[in-house]
Amino acid sequence: MKIAREVSTRSTCLRRQTGAVLVLEKRILTTGYNGVPAGLKHCSEVGCLRDKFSVASGERHELCRGLHAEQNALIQAAIYGVSVKGATLYSTHFPCSLCAKMLINSFVKRIVYEDDYPDELSRSLLSEANVRWERI
């Protein structure tokens, strides 16, 4: 979890800094933090869409220029050809429903997180898929 917290310091998000680490058999596979796609202007330069439209946490995920830390960790695995099947995700925050669906389809089996996130659909999907989670 200490590594996930450190990774979160790279975040360019103005609202929430999140870090994620995918681990399998005690080995780090990939890391990710939340922020805009490579090559695009950071929200600090162009402003936060979610603030502009007064979007609450856990709602309207599409109204954001950035990717979530979990998404970036999965994308890094895809870019470098690293299987995350059976992995554990260590994250500074509980994943949203979009990330939960991606983690389920990536066969991530366990999530360890520090801070909560207001998304009941995420919990429902993860439970149905038998993905375990624990808050530390």
Side-chain angles (χ1 to χ4, degrees), residues 97-133:
S97 57
L98 292 176
C99 291
K101 290 183 275 187
M102 292 179 192
L103 293 165
I104 290 165
N105 268 9
S106 299
F107 297 100
V108 169
K109 292 297 175 194
R110 182 171 166 244
I111 298 167
V112 179
Y113 68 100
E114 199 167 56
D115 293 322
D116 219 352
Y117 187 76
D119 193 332
E120 288 306 315
L121 177 57
S122 179
R123 284 175 169 71
S124 175
L125 294 168
L126 292 166
S127 291
E128 186 177 344
N130 294 315
V131 176
R132 298 180 326 224
W133 72 80

PDB file of all heavy atoms in Angstrom, residues 97-133:
ATOM      1  N   SER A  97     -17.279   1.808 -10.515  1.00  0.00           N
ATOM      2  CA  SER A  97     -17.913   0.718 -11.265  1.00  0.00           C
ATOM      3  C   SER A  97     -17.261   0.492 -12.628  1.00  0.00           C
ATOM      4  O   SER A  97     -17.157  -0.647 -13.087  1.00  0.00           O
ATOM      5  CB  SER A  97     -19.414   0.965 -11.415  1.00  0.00           C
ATOM      6  OG  SER A  97     -19.659   2.206 -12.034  1.00  0.00           O
ATOM      7  N   LEU A  98     -16.795   1.550 -13.292  1.00  0.00           N
ATOM      8  CA  LEU A  98     -16.104   1.368 -14.571  1.00  0.00           C
ATOM      9  C   LEU A  98     -14.830   0.559 -14.377  1.00  0.00           C
ATOM     10  O   LEU A  98     -14.552  -0.380 -15.125  1.00  0.00           O
ATOM     11  CB  LEU A  98     -15.765   2.724 -15.204  1.00  0.00           C
ATOM     12  CG  LEU A  98     -16.923   3.564 -15.699  1.00  0.00           C
ATOM     13  CD1 LEU A  98     -16.421   4.913 -16.196  1.00  0.00           C
ATOM     14  CD2 LEU A  98     -17.674   2.851 -16.799  1.00  0.00           C
ATOM     15  N   CYS A  99     -14.049   0.925 -13.387  1.00  0.00           N
ATOM     16  CA  CYS A  99     -12.812   0.196 -13.112  1.00  0.00           C
ATOM     17  C   CYS A  99     -13.109  -1.217 -12.626  1.00  0.00           C
ATOM     18  O   CYS A  99     -12.393  -2.159 -12.983  1.00  0.00           O
ATOM     19  CB  CYS A  99     -11.971   0.944 -12.092  1.00  0.00           C
ATOM     20  SG  CYS A  99     -11.288   2.495 -12.753  1.00  0.00           S
ATOM     21  N   ALA A 100     -14.159  -1.365 -11.829  1.00  0.00           N
ATOM     22  CA  ALA A 100     -14.536  -2.702 -11.344  1.00  0.00           C
ATOM     23  C   ALA A 100     -14.813  -3.639 -12.518  1.00  0.00           C
ATOM     24  O   ALA A 100     -14.352  -4.784 -12.528  1.00  0.00           O
ATOM     25  CB  ALA A 100     -15.756  -2.613 -10.433  1.00  0.00           C
ATOM     26  N   LYS A 101     -15.538  -3.151 -13.522  1.00  0.00           N
ATOM     27  CA  LYS A 101     -15.831  -3.994 -14.693  1.00  0.00           C
ATOM     28  C   LYS A 101     -14.553  -4.382 -15.425  1.00  0.00           C
ATOM     29  O   LYS A 101     -14.405  -5.529 -15.862  1.00  0.00           O
ATOM     30  CB  LYS A 101     -16.805  -3.278 -15.627  1.00  0.00           C
ATOM     31  CG  LYS A 101     -18.211  -3.157 -15.034  1.00  0.00           C
ATOM     32  CD  LYS A 101     -19.177  -2.522 -15.989  1.00  0.00           C
ATOM     33  CE  LYS A 101     -19.124  -1.020 -15.904  1.00  0.00           C
ATOM     34  NZ  LYS A 101     -20.181  -0.358 -16.703  1.00  0.00           N
ATOM     35  N   MET A 102     -13.624  -3.455 -15.537  1.00  0.00           N
ATOM     36  CA  MET A 102     -12.347  -3.764 -16.202  1.00  0.00           C
ATOM     37  C   MET A 102     -11.530  -4.760 -15.383  1.00  0.00           C
ATOM     38  O   MET A 102     -10.921  -5.676 -15.943  1.00  0.00           O
ATOM     39  CB  MET A 102     -11.541  -2.480 -16.406  1.00  0.00           C
ATOM     40  CG  MET A 102     -12.157  -1.550 -17.408  1.00  0.00           C
ATOM     41  SD  MET A 102     -11.146  -0.058 -17.533  1.00  0.00           S
ATOM     42  CE  MET A 102     -12.261   0.974 -18.446  1.00  0.00           C
ATOM     43  N   LEU A 103     -11.519  -4.591 -14.078  1.00  0.00           N
ATOM     44  CA  LEU A 103     -10.782  -5.505 -13.208  1.00  0.00           C
ATOM     45  C   LEU A 103     -11.389  -6.910 -13.256  1.00  0.00           C
ATOM     46  O   LEU A 103     -10.658  -7.905 -13.289  1.00  0.00           O
ATOM     47  CB  LEU A 103     -10.757  -4.966 -11.775  1.00  0.00           C
ATOM     48  CG  LEU A 103      -9.960  -3.675 -11.592  1.00  0.00           C
ATOM     49  CD1 LEU A 103     -10.293  -3.018 -10.259  1.00  0.00           C
ATOM     50  CD2 LEU A 103      -8.471  -3.931 -11.729  1.00  0.00           C
ATOM     51  N   ILE A 104     -12.710  -6.979 -13.285  1.00  0.00           N
ATOM     52  CA  ILE A 104     -13.386  -8.274 -13.387  1.00  0.00           C
ATOM     53  C   ILE A 104     -12.989  -8.969 -14.687  1.00  0.00           C
ATOM     54  O   ILE A 104     -12.626 -10.150 -14.691  1.00  0.00           O
ATOM     55  CB  ILE A 104     -14.921  -8.102 -13.297  1.00  0.00           C
ATOM     56  CG1 ILE A 104     -15.332  -7.686 -11.880  1.00  0.00           C
ATOM     57  CG2 ILE A 104     -15.641  -9.381 -13.725  1.00  0.00           C
ATOM     58  CD1 ILE A 104     -16.748  -7.145 -11.770  1.00  0.00           C
ATOM     59  N   ASN A 105     -13.044  -8.247 -15.797  1.00  0.00           N
ATOM     60  CA  ASN A 105     -12.708  -8.845 -17.094  1.00  0.00           C
ATOM     61  C   ASN A 105     -11.224  -9.142 -17.247  1.00  0.00           C
ATOM     62  O   ASN A 105     -10.838  -9.912 -18.124  1.00  0.00           O
ATOM     63  CB  ASN A 105     -13.190  -7.968 -18.242  1.00  0.00           C
ATOM     64  CG  ASN A 105     -14.573  -8.352 -18.705  1.00  0.00           C
ATOM     65  OD1 ASN A 105     -15.239  -9.154 -18.069  1.00  0.00           O
ATOM     66  ND2 ASN A 105     -15.008  -7.796 -19.812  1.00  0.00           N
ATOM     67  N   SER A 106     -10.397  -8.552 -16.398  1.00  0.00           N
ATOM     68  CA  SER A 106      -8.961  -8.833 -16.400  1.00  0.00           C
ATOM     69  C   SER A 106      -8.623  -9.978 -15.445  1.00  0.00           C
ATOM     70  O   SER A 106      -7.458 -10.333 -15.289  1.00  0.00           O
ATOM     71  CB  SER A 106      -8.179  -7.588 -15.992  1.00  0.00           C
ATOM     72  OG  SER A 106      -8.418  -6.546 -16.898  1.00  0.00           O
ATOM     73  N   PHE A 107      -9.630 -10.504 -14.769  1.00  0.00           N
ATOM     74  CA  PHE A 107      -9.498 -11.623 -13.828  1.00  0.00           C
ATOM     75  C   PHE A 107      -8.655 -11.278 -12.608  1.00  0.00           C
ATOM     76  O   PHE A 107      -8.000 -12.145 -12.036  1.00  0.00           O
ATOM     77  CB  PHE A 107      -8.979 -12.887 -14.532  1.00  0.00           C
ATOM     78  CG  PHE A 107      -9.916 -13.386 -15.593  1.00  0.00           C
ATOM     79  CD1 PHE A 107      -9.675 -13.117 -16.926  1.00  0.00           C
ATOM     80  CD2 PHE A 107     -11.062 -14.087 -15.239  1.00  0.00           C
ATOM     81  CE1 PHE A 107     -10.545 -13.554 -17.915  1.00  0.00           C
ATOM     82  CE2 PHE A 107     -11.947 -14.531 -16.214  1.00  0.00           C
ATOM     83  CZ  PHE A 107     -11.684 -14.264 -17.555  1.00  0.00           C
ATOM     84  N   VAL A 108      -8.681  -9.992 -12.215  1.00  0.00           N
ATOM     85  CA  VAL A 108      -8.096  -9.607 -10.938  1.00  0.00           C
ATOM     86  C   VAL A 108      -8.980 -10.233  -9.867  1.00  0.00           C
ATOM     87  O   VAL A 108     -10.206 -10.163  -9.936  1.00  0.00           O
ATOM     88  CB  VAL A 108      -8.019  -8.066 -10.805  1.00  0.00           C
ATOM     89  CG1 VAL A 108      -7.675  -7.654  -9.385  1.00  0.00           C
ATOM     90  CG2 VAL A 108      -6.997  -7.524 -11.796  1.00  0.00           C
ATOM     91  N   LYS A 109      -8.370 -10.872  -8.870  1.00  0.00           N
ATOM     92  CA  LYS A 109      -9.128 -11.660  -7.897  1.00  0.00           C
ATOM     93  C   LYS A 109      -9.304 -11.010  -6.538  1.00  0.00           C
ATOM     94  O   LYS A 109     -10.135 -11.432  -5.747  1.00  0.00           O
ATOM     95  CB  LYS A 109      -8.476 -13.041  -7.710  1.00  0.00           C
ATOM     96  CG  LYS A 109      -8.594 -13.902  -8.944  1.00  0.00           C
ATOM     97  CD  LYS A 109     -10.054 -14.166  -9.238  1.00  0.00           C
ATOM     98  CE  LYS A 109     -10.242 -14.929 -10.533  1.00  0.00           C
ATOM     99  NZ  LYS A 109     -11.624 -14.908 -10.978  1.00  0.00           N
ATOM    100  N   ARG A 110      -8.517  -9.967  -6.269  1.00  0.00           N
ATOM    101  CA  ARG A 110      -8.570  -9.370  -4.932  1.00  0.00           C
ATOM    102  C   ARG A 110      -8.211  -7.894  -5.035  1.00  0.00           C
ATOM    103  O   ARG A 110      -7.366  -7.509  -5.837  1.00  0.00           O
ATOM    104  CB  ARG A 110      -7.564 -10.091  -4.037  1.00  0.00           C
ATOM    105  CG  ARG A 110      -7.519  -9.622  -2.613  1.00  0.00           C
ATOM    106  CD  ARG A 110      -6.631 -10.583  -1.792  1.00  0.00           C
ATOM    107  NE  ARG A 110      -6.295  -9.995  -0.528  1.00  0.00           N
ATOM    108  CZ  ARG A 110      -5.065  -9.672  -0.129  1.00  0.00           C
ATOM    109  NH1 ARG A 110      -4.036  -9.891  -0.924  1.00  0.00           N
ATOM    110  NH2 ARG A 110      -4.857  -9.148   1.050  1.00  0.00           N
ATOM    111  N   ILE A 111      -8.865  -7.098  -4.187  1.00  0.00           N
ATOM    112  CA  ILE A 111      -8.611  -5.657  -4.125  1.00  0.00           C
ATOM    113  C   ILE A 111      -8.352  -5.283  -2.672  1.00  0.00           C
ATOM    114  O   ILE A 111      -9.147  -5.609  -1.795  1.00  0.00           O
ATOM    115  CB  ILE A 111      -9.808  -4.860  -4.678  1.00  0.00           C
ATOM    116  CG1 ILE A 111     -10.031  -5.202  -6.151  1.00  0.00           C
ATOM    117  CG2 ILE A 111      -9.601  -3.372  -4.465  1.00  0.00           C
ATOM    118  CD1 ILE A 111     -11.357  -4.727  -6.695  1.00  0.00           C
ATOM    119  N   VAL A 112      -7.240  -4.606  -2.449  1.00  0.00           N
ATOM    120  CA  VAL A 112      -6.906  -4.084  -1.130  1.00  0.00           C
ATOM    121  C   VAL A 112      -6.856  -2.566  -1.293  1.00  0.00           C
ATOM    122  O   VAL A 112      -6.158  -2.059  -2.168  1.00  0.00           O
ATOM    123  CB  VAL A 112      -5.545  -4.628  -0.641  1.00  0.00           C
ATOM    124  CG1 VAL A 112      -5.199  -4.047   0.722  1.00  0.00           C
ATOM    125  CG2 VAL A 112      -5.562  -6.148  -0.598  1.00  0.00           C
ATOM    126  N   TYR A 113      -7.618  -1.862  -0.470  1.00  0.00           N
ATOM    127  CA  TYR A 113      -7.702  -0.410  -0.644  1.00  0.00           C
ATOM    128  C   TYR A 113      -7.655   0.296   0.697  1.00  0.00           C
ATOM    129  O   TYR A 113      -7.858  -0.306   1.747  1.00  0.00           O
ATOM    130  CB  TYR A 113      -8.974  -0.028  -1.405  1.00  0.00           C
ATOM    131  CG  TYR A 113     -10.250  -0.277  -0.643  1.00  0.00           C
ATOM    132  CD1 TYR A 113     -10.912   0.757   0.005  1.00  0.00           C
ATOM    133  CD2 TYR A 113     -10.808  -1.543  -0.563  1.00  0.00           C
ATOM    134  CE1 TYR A 113     -12.081   0.546   0.708  1.00  0.00           C
ATOM    135  CE2 TYR A 113     -11.976  -1.773   0.137  1.00  0.00           C
ATOM    136  CZ  TYR A 113     -12.609  -0.731   0.772  1.00  0.00           C
ATOM    137  OH  TYR A 113     -13.755  -0.951   1.473  1.00  0.00           O
ATOM    138  N   GLU A 114      -7.401   1.590   0.630  1.00  0.00           N
ATOM    139  CA  GLU A 114      -7.251   2.396   1.837  1.00  0.00           C
ATOM    140  C   GLU A 114      -8.466   3.290   2.090  1.00  0.00           C
ATOM    141  O   GLU A 114      -9.018   3.294   3.177  1.00  0.00           O
ATOM    142  CB  GLU A 114      -5.989   3.239   1.693  1.00  0.00           C
ATOM    143  CG  GLU A 114      -5.451   3.782   2.970  1.00  0.00           C
ATOM    144  CD  GLU A 114      -4.047   4.314   2.774  1.00  0.00           C
ATOM    145  OE1 GLU A 114      -3.842   5.183   1.899  1.00  0.00           O
ATOM    146  OE2 GLU A 114      -3.153   3.858   3.512  1.00  0.00           O
ATOM    147  N   ASP A 115      -8.864   4.071   1.094  1.00  0.00           N
ATOM    148  CA  ASP A 115      -9.968   5.018   1.256  1.00  0.00           C
ATOM    149  C   ASP A 115     -11.175   4.569   0.442  1.00  0.00           C
ATOM    150  O   ASP A 115     -11.032   3.988  -0.638  1.00  0.00           O
ATOM    151  CB  ASP A 115      -9.548   6.418   0.800  1.00  0.00           C
ATOM    152  CG  ASP A 115      -8.487   7.020   1.704  1.00  0.00           C
ATOM    153  OD1 ASP A 115      -8.565   6.814   2.933  1.00  0.00           O
ATOM    154  OD2 ASP A 115      -7.583   7.694   1.190  1.00  0.00           O
ATOM    155  N   ASP A 116     -12.343   4.880   0.946  1.00  0.00           N
ATOM    156  CA  ASP A 116     -13.575   4.470   0.284  1.00  0.00           C
ATOM    157  C   ASP A 116     -13.892   5.362  -0.910  1.00  0.00           C
ATOM    158  O   ASP A 116     -13.299   6.431  -1.083  1.00  0.00           O
ATOM    159  CB  ASP A 116     -14.735   4.505   1.274  1.00  0.00           C
ATOM    160  CG  ASP A 116     -15.681   3.344   1.082  1.00  0.00           C
ATOM    161  OD1 ASP A 116     -15.532   2.598   0.093  1.00  0.00           O
ATOM    162  OD2 ASP A 116     -16.579   3.188   1.917  1.00  0.00           O
ATOM    163  N   TYR A 117     -14.830   4.903  -1.735  1.00  0.00           N
ATOM    164  CA  TYR A 117     -15.317   5.664  -2.884  1.00  0.00           C
ATOM    165  C   TYR A 117     -16.810   5.377  -3.001  1.00  0.00           C
ATOM    166  O   TYR A 117     -17.222   4.223  -2.901  1.00  0.00           O
ATOM    167  CB  TYR A 117     -14.570   5.228  -4.156  1.00  0.00           C
ATOM    168  CG  TYR A 117     -14.887   6.082  -5.357  1.00  0.00           C
ATOM    169  CD1 TYR A 117     -14.348   7.355  -5.487  1.00  0.00           C
ATOM    170  CD2 TYR A 117     -15.730   5.619  -6.356  1.00  0.00           C
ATOM    171  CE1 TYR A 117     -14.634   8.148  -6.582  1.00  0.00           C
ATOM    172  CE2 TYR A 117     -16.019   6.403  -7.463  1.00  0.00           C
ATOM    173  CZ  TYR A 117     -15.465   7.658  -7.570  1.00  0.00           C
ATOM    174  OH  TYR A 117     -15.752   8.454  -8.661  1.00  0.00           O
ATOM    175  N   PRO A 118     -17.635   6.396  -3.186  1.00  0.00           N
ATOM    176  CA  PRO A 118     -19.097   6.221  -3.144  1.00  0.00           C
ATOM    177  C   PRO A 118     -19.679   5.620  -4.428  1.00  0.00           C
ATOM    178  O   PRO A 118     -20.192   6.332  -5.288  1.00  0.00           O
ATOM    179  CB  PRO A 118     -19.601   7.659  -2.932  1.00  0.00           C
ATOM    180  CG  PRO A 118     -18.570   8.504  -3.624  1.00  0.00           C
ATOM    181  CD  PRO A 118     -17.259   7.798  -3.394  1.00  0.00           C
ATOM    182  N   ASP A 119     -19.588   4.302  -4.579  1.00  0.00           N
ATOM    183  CA  ASP A 119     -20.119   3.650  -5.774  1.00  0.00           C
ATOM    184  C   ASP A 119     -20.630   2.260  -5.408  1.00  0.00           C
ATOM    185  O   ASP A 119     -19.875   1.286  -5.399  1.00  0.00           O
ATOM    186  CB  ASP A 119     -19.033   3.567  -6.853  1.00  0.00           C
ATOM    187  CG  ASP A 119     -19.573   3.189  -8.221  1.00  0.00           C
ATOM    188  OD1 ASP A 119     -20.612   2.490  -8.286  1.00  0.00           O
ATOM    189  OD2 ASP A 119     -18.959   3.577  -9.222  1.00  0.00           O
ATOM    190  N   GLU A 120     -21.907   2.176  -5.074  1.00  0.00           N
ATOM    191  CA  GLU A 120     -22.506   0.902  -4.663  1.00  0.00           C
ATOM    192  C   GLU A 120     -22.564  -0.108  -5.799  1.00  0.00           C
ATOM    193  O   GLU A 120     -22.476  -1.311  -5.579  1.00  0.00           O
ATOM    194  CB  GLU A 120     -23.897   1.125  -4.063  1.00  0.00           C
ATOM    195  CG  GLU A 120     -23.865   1.763  -2.692  1.00  0.00           C
ATOM    196  CD  GLU A 120     -22.992   1.010  -1.699  1.00  0.00           C
ATOM    197  OE1 GLU A 120     -23.078  -0.233  -1.623  1.00  0.00           O
ATOM    198  OE2 GLU A 120     -22.193   1.670  -1.008  1.00  0.00           O
ATOM    199  N   LEU A 121     -22.711   0.363  -7.043  1.00  0.00           N
ATOM    200  CA  LEU A 121     -22.726  -0.553  -8.180  1.00  0.00           C
ATOM    201  C   LEU A 121     -21.409  -1.318  -8.249  1.00  0.00           C
ATOM    202  O   LEU A 121     -21.394  -2.514  -8.544  1.00  0.00           O
ATOM    203  CB  LEU A 121     -22.982   0.201  -9.485  1.00  0.00           C
ATOM    204  CG  LEU A 121     -22.963  -0.641 -10.765  1.00  0.00           C
ATOM    205  CD1 LEU A 121     -23.982  -1.777 -10.700  1.00  0.00           C
ATOM    206  CD2 LEU A 121     -23.197   0.243 -11.983  1.00  0.00           C
ATOM    207  N   SER A 122     -20.318  -0.662  -7.971  1.00  0.00           N
ATOM    208  CA  SER A 122     -19.009  -1.304  -7.980  1.00  0.00           C
ATOM    209  C   SER A 122     -18.981  -2.488  -7.020  1.00  0.00           C
ATOM    210  O   SER A 122     -18.561  -3.588  -7.377  1.00  0.00           O
ATOM    211  CB  SER A 122     -17.925  -0.293  -7.613  1.00  0.00           C
ATOM    212  OG  SER A 122     -16.670  -0.908  -7.596  1.00  0.00           O
ATOM    213  N   ARG A 123     -19.436  -2.270  -5.810  1.00  0.00           N
ATOM    214  CA  ARG A 123     -19.456  -3.345  -4.808  1.00  0.00           C
ATOM    215  C   ARG A 123     -20.338  -4.506  -5.259  1.00  0.00           C
ATOM    216  O   ARG A 123     -19.979  -5.671  -5.098  1.00  0.00           O
ATOM    217  CB  ARG A 123     -19.935  -2.810  -3.470  1.00  0.00           C
ATOM    218  CG  ARG A 123     -18.884  -2.015  -2.751  1.00  0.00           C
ATOM    219  CD  ARG A 123     -19.435  -1.397  -1.461  1.00  0.00           C
ATOM    220  NE  ARG A 123     -18.375  -0.870  -0.653  1.00  0.00           N
ATOM    221  CZ  ARG A 123     -17.663   0.207  -0.940  1.00  0.00           C
ATOM    222  NH1 ARG A 123     -17.895   0.884  -2.051  1.00  0.00           N
ATOM    223  NH2 ARG A 123     -16.701   0.623  -0.140  1.00  0.00           N
ATOM    224  N   SER A 124     -21.464  -4.176  -5.829  1.00  0.00           N
ATOM    225  CA  SER A 124     -22.390  -5.203  -6.307  1.00  0.00           C
ATOM    226  C   SER A 124     -21.760  -6.041  -7.418  1.00  0.00           C
ATOM    227  O   SER A 124     -21.832  -7.280  -7.404  1.00  0.00           O
ATOM    228  CB  SER A 124     -23.679  -4.534  -6.809  1.00  0.00           C
ATOM    229  OG  SER A 124     -24.537  -5.473  -7.384  1.00  0.00           O
ATOM    230  N   LEU A 125     -21.125  -5.388  -8.386  1.00  0.00           N
ATOM    231  CA  LEU A 125     -20.488  -6.099  -9.496  1.00  0.00           C
ATOM    232  C   LEU A 125     -19.339  -6.978  -9.001  1.00  0.00           C
ATOM    233  O   LEU A 125     -19.218  -8.141  -9.407  1.00  0.00           O
ATOM    234  CB  LEU A 125     -19.957  -5.098 -10.532  1.00  0.00           C
ATOM    235  CG  LEU A 125     -20.996  -4.274 -11.276  1.00  0.00           C
ATOM    236  CD1 LEU A 125     -20.321  -3.134 -12.034  1.00  0.00           C
ATOM    237  CD2 LEU A 125     -21.811  -5.142 -12.211  1.00  0.00           C
ATOM    238  N   LEU A 126     -18.508  -6.428  -8.138  1.00  0.00           N
ATOM    239  CA  LEU A 126     -17.370  -7.188  -7.627  1.00  0.00           C
ATOM    240  C   LEU A 126     -17.834  -8.393  -6.817  1.00  0.00           C
ATOM    241  O   LEU A 126     -17.260  -9.483  -6.929  1.00  0.00           O
ATOM    242  CB  LEU A 126     -16.450  -6.289  -6.799  1.00  0.00           C
ATOM    243  CG  LEU A 126     -15.704  -5.223  -7.597  1.00  0.00           C
ATOM    244  CD1 LEU A 126     -15.093  -4.184  -6.664  1.00  0.00           C
ATOM    245  CD2 LEU A 126     -14.641  -5.855  -8.485  1.00  0.00           C
ATOM    246  N   SER A 127     -18.874  -8.219  -6.016  1.00  0.00           N
ATOM    247  CA  SER A 127     -19.421  -9.340  -5.240  1.00  0.00           C
ATOM    248  C   SER A 127     -19.953 -10.433  -6.154  1.00  0.00           C
ATOM    249  O   SER A 127     -19.679 -11.617  -5.946  1.00  0.00           O
ATOM    250  CB  SER A 127     -20.540  -8.865  -4.309  1.00  0.00           C
ATOM    251  OG  SER A 127     -20.021  -8.056  -3.292  1.00  0.00           O
ATOM    252  N   GLU A 128     -20.707 -10.031  -7.154  1.00  0.00           N
ATOM    253  CA  GLU A 128     -21.276 -11.005  -8.094  1.00  0.00           C
ATOM    254  C   GLU A 128     -20.171 -11.780  -8.828  1.00  0.00           C
ATOM    255  O   GLU A 128     -20.326 -12.963  -9.127  1.00  0.00           O
ATOM    256  CB  GLU A 128     -22.160 -10.285  -9.106  1.00  0.00           C
ATOM    257  CG  GLU A 128     -22.906 -11.205 -10.039  1.00  0.00           C
ATOM    258  CD  GLU A 128     -23.829 -10.462 -10.978  1.00  0.00           C
ATOM    259  OE1 GLU A 128     -24.136  -9.277 -10.738  1.00  0.00           O
ATOM    260  OE2 GLU A 128     -24.250 -11.079 -11.975  1.00  0.00           O
ATOM    261  N   ALA A 129     -19.052 -11.128  -9.091  1.00  0.00           N
ATOM    262  CA  ALA A 129     -17.933 -11.756  -9.803  1.00  0.00           C
ATOM    263  C   ALA A 129     -16.983 -12.489  -8.849  1.00  0.00           C
ATOM    264  O   ALA A 129     -15.965 -13.026  -9.286  1.00  0.00           O
ATOM    265  CB  ALA A 129     -17.159 -10.697 -10.585  1.00  0.00           C
ATOM    266  N   ASN A 130     -17.318 -12.512  -7.570  1.00  0.00           N
ATOM    267  CA  ASN A 130     -16.483 -13.173  -6.548  1.00  0.00           C
ATOM    268  C   ASN A 130     -15.079 -12.586  -6.437  1.00  0.00           C
ATOM    269  O   ASN A 130     -14.114 -13.305  -6.194  1.00  0.00           O
ATOM    270  CB  ASN A 130     -16.406 -14.684  -6.798  1.00  0.00           C
ATOM    271  CG  ASN A 130     -17.750 -15.340  -6.614  1.00  0.00           C
ATOM    272  OD1 ASN A 130     -18.453 -15.055  -5.646  1.00  0.00           O
ATOM    273  ND2 ASN A 130     -18.127 -16.185  -7.548  1.00  0.00           N
ATOM    274  N   VAL A 131     -14.978 -11.268  -6.655  1.00  0.00           N
ATOM    275  CA  VAL A 131     -13.717 -10.579  -6.416  1.00  0.00           C
ATOM    276  C   VAL A 131     -13.742 -10.129  -4.959  1.00  0.00           C
ATOM    277  O   VAL A 131     -14.663  -9.429  -4.532  1.00  0.00           O
ATOM    278  CB  VAL A 131     -13.547  -9.364  -7.357  1.00  0.00           C
ATOM    279  CG1 VAL A 131     -12.264  -8.607  -7.016  1.00  0.00           C
ATOM    280  CG2 VAL A 131     -13.543  -9.813  -8.801  1.00  0.00           C
ATOM    281  N   ARG A 132     -12.750 -10.557  -4.203  1.00  0.00           N
ATOM    282  CA  ARG A 132     -12.678 -10.190  -2.788  1.00  0.00           C
ATOM    283  C   ARG A 132     -12.082  -8.795  -2.650  1.00  0.00           C
ATOM    284  O   ARG A 132     -11.268  -8.392  -3.473  1.00  0.00           O
ATOM    285  CB  ARG A 132     -11.802 -11.187  -2.031  1.00  0.00           C
ATOM    286  CG  ARG A 132     -12.303 -12.606  -2.043  1.00  0.00           C
ATOM    287  CD  ARG A 132     -11.346 -13.485  -1.272  1.00  0.00           C
ATOM    288  NE  ARG A 132      -9.973 -13.003  -1.456  1.00  0.00           N
ATOM    289  CZ  ARG A 132      -8.930 -13.767  -1.690  1.00  0.00           C
ATOM    290  NH1 ARG A 132      -9.036 -15.043  -1.746  1.00  0.00           N
ATOM    291  NH2 ARG A 132      -7.729 -13.235  -1.862  1.00  0.00           N
ATOM    292  N   TRP A 133     -12.496  -8.097  -1.597  1.00  0.00           N
ATOM    293  CA  TRP A 133     -11.872  -6.811  -1.305  1.00  0.00           C
ATOM    294  C   TRP A 133     -11.758  -6.627   0.189  1.00  0.00           C
ATOM    295  O   TRP A 133     -12.523  -7.213   0.964  1.00  0.00           O
ATOM    296  CB  TRP A 133     -12.607  -5.645  -1.952  1.00  0.00           C
ATOM    297  CG  TRP A 133     -13.921  -5.292  -1.345  1.00  0.00           C
ATOM    298  CD1 TRP A 133     -14.137  -4.548  -0.219  1.00  0.00           C
ATOM    299  CD2 TRP A 133     -15.218  -5.658  -1.819  1.00  0.00           C
ATOM    300  NE1 TRP A 133     -15.476  -4.428   0.032  1.00  0.00           N
ATOM    301  CE2 TRP A 133     -16.159  -5.096  -0.938  1.00  0.00           C
ATOM    302  CE3 TRP A 133     -15.667  -6.398  -2.891  1.00  0.00           C
ATOM    303  CZ2 TRP A 133     -17.523  -5.261  -1.111  1.00  0.00           C
ATOM    304  CZ3 TRP A 133     -17.029  -6.563  -3.061  1.00  0.00           C
ATOM    305  CH2 TRP A 133     -17.934  -6.000  -2.180  1.00  0.00           C
TER     306      TRP A 133
END
